[in-house]
């Protein structure tokens, strides 16, 4: 967790920021989180501003 600027009223304020990732699956030789969310902590609770879920993945070895 670190701090990032969040728009607050007419300005910006540094607030605690966190990303959470889950639903890990192994695809080929890679362990990938299929769900993630990120957001700021407001009143000691994560307030997500983005959530995403992988629906399809391809893997190519380099």
């Amino acid at each position: 967790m670190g701090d990032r600027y969040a728009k607050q009223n007419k300005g910006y304020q540094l607030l605690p920021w966190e990303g959470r990732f889950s639903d890990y699956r192994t695809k080929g030789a890679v362990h990938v989180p299929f769900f993630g969310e990120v957001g700021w902590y407001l009143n000691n609770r994560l307030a997500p501003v983005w959530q995403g879920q992988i629906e399809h993945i391809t893997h190519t070895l380099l």
Side-chain angles (χ1 to χ4, degrees):
M1 182 168 32
D3 290 351
R4 292 186 184 253
Y5 282 100
K7 189 170 184 175
Q8 297 285 303
N9 301 317
K10 295 181 180 181
Y12 292 86
Q13 179 181 0
L14 276 173
L15 295 174
W17 171 268
E18 183 175 286
R20 295 179 180 174
F21 304 92
S22 61
D23 191 15
Y24 282 83
R25 303 178 197 176
T26 301
K27 296 295 181 183
V30 180
H31 202 57
V32 180
F34 270 60
F35 178 80
E37 66 181 358
V38 295
W40 284 279
Y41 270 91
L42 303 171
N43 300 320
N44 296 318
R45 293 186 62 198
L46 183 65
V49 295
W50 178 87
Q51 292 181 333
Q53 184 170 339
I54 293 176
E55 294 181 5
H56 176 76
I57 188 171
T58 58
H59 179 265
T60 304
L61 291 175
L62 299 177

